[in-house]
């Protein structure tokens, strides 16, 4: 009897130890993922003033501080075809996924480990743009060194399992500049000397300690949030389209495509384009929503029907020649 109780006790203790070990292992994982976003611990040597440094890790930091820090990272493009003005490095959909992963990774990193981030955010048709950076705490400042900002990835590359879960081990702190972009410091930020790709952020700055402001980032959020002006303009545009439809001569239905999914896509793209022209949404918002529609709204069509739809959209100017060629290539590859 006593032996049986001892066995039960030992079994119970073993189960508890296994549960603790599993929980411990999860909390101290080396890699954290959310979709195509990957946050990892990496043993990367970093030099400051010619000397290798150790990091102030592990480091506990609040989510709102990291959210504000990522939200105020800007860059400028270089070259003849550069976009004007400063651009945000991270989009709101990226930040929402990144923050909990970065907070967790910093809280368990060792003094020799940086936190590397590989993230994607859909911006234009069938192409995603990748950011890659190393994050670490030194002298109680948040350091973020980039090796890639908005680097174009083809749709097939971005979605392949190898590209999705495997990133080349690189050290952004060893890079001093890029031919295509440079970081633009905001309040409480400075560039590491002799670097255009490395920001040093003073987390004690009041701007980063503030609660996260309610942001309306993507076009989906803007439509969902709504304003009286936006709702009024949408209603006006929809009424205009309905009126235009009523003036057309009734035609027999020749296919599901003509009166079904295609008409819905056209209607939404027309509304979105007019919203962009009225400066209710940005061109980036329009491109983002256009991507989602062409990827998701035509899923119930045959490849032939999809080819006809994108041809019609190109003729009507709702998508560009590049959009059409990229989508056509993707569809033809599915044969």
């Amino acid at each position: 009897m006593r032996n049986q109780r001892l066995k039960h006790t030992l079994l119970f203790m073993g189960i508890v130890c296994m549960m603790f070990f599993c929980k411990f292992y999860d909390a101290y994982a080396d890699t954290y993922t959310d979709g195509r976003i990957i946050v990892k611990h990496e043993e990367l040597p970093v030099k400051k003033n010619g000397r290798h440094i150790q990091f102030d890790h592990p480091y506990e930091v609040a989510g709102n501080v990291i959210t504000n820090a990522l939200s105020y990272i800007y860059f400028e493009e270089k070259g003849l075809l550069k976009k004007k003005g400063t651009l945000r490095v991270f989009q709101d959909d990226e930040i929402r996924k990144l923050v909990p992963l970065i907070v967790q990774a910093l809280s368990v990193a060792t003094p020799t480990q940086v936190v590397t981030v590989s993230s994607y955010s859909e911006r234009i048709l069938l192409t995603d743009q990748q950011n890659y950076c190393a994050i670490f705490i030194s002298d109680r400042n948040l350091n973020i060194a980039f090796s890639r900002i908005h680097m174009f990835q083809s749709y097939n590359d971005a979605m392949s399992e190898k590209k999705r879960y495997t990133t080349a081990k690189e050290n952004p702190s060893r890079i001093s500049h890029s031919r295509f972009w440079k970081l633009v410091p905001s309040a409480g930020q400075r560039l590491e000397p002799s670097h255009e790709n490395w920001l040093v952020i003073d987390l004690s700055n009041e701007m980063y300690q503030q609660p996260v402001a309610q942001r309306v980032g993507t076009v989906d959020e803007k439509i969902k949030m709504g304003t009286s002006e936006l709702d009024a303009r949408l209603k006006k545009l929809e009424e205009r389209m309905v009126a235009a439809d009523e003036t057309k001569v009734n035609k027999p239905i020749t296919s599901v495509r003509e009166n079904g999914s295609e008409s819905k896509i056209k209607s939404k793209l027309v509304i979105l384009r007019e919203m962009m022209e009225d400066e209710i949404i940005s061109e980036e918002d329009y491109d983002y929503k256009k991507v989602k529609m062409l990827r998701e709204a035509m899923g119930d069509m045959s490849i032939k029907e999809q080819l006809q739809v994108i041809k019609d959209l190109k003729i009507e100017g709702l998508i560009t020649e590049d959009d059409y060629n990229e989508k056509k290539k993707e569809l033809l590859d599915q044969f």
Side-chain angles (χ1 to χ4, degrees):
M1 188 72 171
R2 183 176 297 175
N3 288 339
Q4 189 174 6
R5 287 181 180 176
L6 180 61
K7 287 181 181 179
H8 287 168
T9 302
L10 291 174
L11 179 61
F12 176 76
M13 291 177 65
I15 293 172
V16 171
C17 289
M18 288 180 63
M19 291 175 64
F20 176 79
F21 176 78
C22 292
K23 184 176 181 181
F24 179 88
Y25 180 80
D26 289 341
Y28 289 81
D30 288 326
T31 302
Y32 308 87
T33 62
D34 189 335
R36 282 176 289 152
I37 286 177
I38 302 174
V39 175
K40 298 179 66 176
H41 291 131
E42 296 276 10
E43 297 277 348
L44 295 182
V46 176
K47 285 185 177 181
K48 277 196 172 189
N49 300 321
R51 301 179 63 181
H52 288 288
I53 64 170
Q54 280 202 324
F55 315 116
D56 301 337
H57 299 163
Y59 192 88
E60 298 288 342
V61 61
N64 66 299
V65 175
I66 296 297
T67 299
N68 288 328
L70 297 183
S71 298
Y72 292 104
I73 298 179
Y74 295 93
F75 75 103
E76 287 181 348
E77 291 187 345
K78 296 180 180 179
L80 296 176
L81 301 178
K82 66 180 182 181
K83 295 179 181 178
K84 294 181 180 179
T86 58
L87 306 167
R88 288 178 62 195
V89 172
F90 295 106
Q91 304 302 302
D92 293 333
D93 56 342
E94 286 176 278
I95 294 173
R96 278 191 293 271
K97 294 180 179 181
L98 280 171
V99 168
L101 305 184
I102 292 174
V103 168
Q104 175 63 26
L106 285 174
S107 72
V108 296
T110 70
T112 61
Q113 290 178 328
V114 302
V115 174
T116 60
V117 171
S118 176
S119 66
Y120 297 83
S121 183
E122 294 177 332
R123 293 177 176 85
I124 64 175
L125 184 65
L126 298 179
T127 53
D128 297 320
Q129 296 177 353
Q130 186 193 34
N131 298 314
Y132 187 86
C133 62
I135 298 176
F136 57 91
I137 305 293
S138 177
D139 296 328
R140 303 188 67 81
N141 291 320
L142 178 68
N143 291 255
I144 306 184
F146 290 87
S147 58
R148 288 172 250 163
I149 291 181
H150 291 200
M151 179 178 177
F152 281 100
Q153 304 285 310
S154 72
Y155 177 74
N156 289 333
D157 284 344
M159 291 304 294
S160 70
E161 292 300 311
K162 185 176 180 180
K163 291 285 184 179
R164 184 174 180 179
Y165 293 110
T166 306
T167 56
K169 190 170 183 178
E170 56 189 88
N171 192 340
S173 69
R174 291 180 175 173
I175 299 170
S176 60
H177 69 281
S178 167
R179 292 182 300 157
F180 307 107
W181 50 265
K182 65 177 180 179
L183 293 171
V184 180
S186 301
Q189 303 177 0
R190 60 179 172 84
L191 290 172
E192 177 70 12
S194 303
H195 288 266
E196 294 182 341
N197 67 312
W198 181 344
L199 279 179
V200 181
I201 303 175
D202 178 9
L203 295 182
S204 65
N205 187 286
E206 184 179 354
M207 181 168 72
Y208 305 112
Q209 298 297 322
Q210 297 295 320
V212 176
Q214 180 63 44
R215 299 173 65 96
V216 183
T218 65
V219 64
D220 287 329
E221 291 171 329
K222 289 178 180 177
I223 293 174
K224 184 177 180 180
M225 286 279 292
T227 63
S228 58
E229 180 185 14
L230 174 58
D231 292 337
R233 292 195 184 197
L234 275 173
K235 185 176 180 180
K236 182 178 179 182
L237 289 170
E238 290 172 347
E239 289 174 349
R240 186 190 309 171
M241 287 167 28
V242 170
D245 289 339
E246 290 176 349
T247 60
K248 293 180 180 179
V249 178
N250 291 330
K251 296 187 295 183
I253 298 176
T254 57
S255 71
V256 174
R257 176 186 58 80
E258 290 182 358
N259 283 355
S261 299
E262 180 186 15
S263 63
K264 292 179 181 178
I265 294 172
K266 286 183 180 180
S267 298
K268 290 182 178 180
L269 284 177
V270 168
I271 292 174
L272 287 168
R273 185 173 64 180
E274 296 205 24
M275 288 169 64
M276 179 183 68
E277 291 171 351
D278 289 343
E279 298 184 350
I280 299 174
I281 63 173
S282 68
E283 183 176 355
E284 187 178 45
D285 292 330
Y286 175 78
D287 288 333
Y288 170 81
K289 189 63 177 179
K290 179 174 61 176
V291 169
K292 295 191 69 175
M293 289 174 58
L294 292 183
R295 284 185 181 175
E296 300 169 2
M298 298 194 297
D300 58 345
M301 298 183 192
S302 68
I303 292 177
K304 180 179 178 181
E305 288 175 334
Q306 291 184 61
L307 287 169
Q308 184 61 52
V309 169
I310 62 172
K311 180 179 179 181
D312 293 344
L313 294 176
K314 182 194 71 170
I315 292 172
E316 296 183 24
L318 295 173
I319 63 174
T320 66
E321 184 78 26
D322 289 341
D323 294 338
Y324 170 74
N325 290 332
E326 194 72 40
K327 183 65 176 178
K328 181 176 70 173
K329 182 178 181 300
E330 182 205 358
L331 291 172
L332 292 177
D333 286 345
Q334 295 178 21
F335 274 112

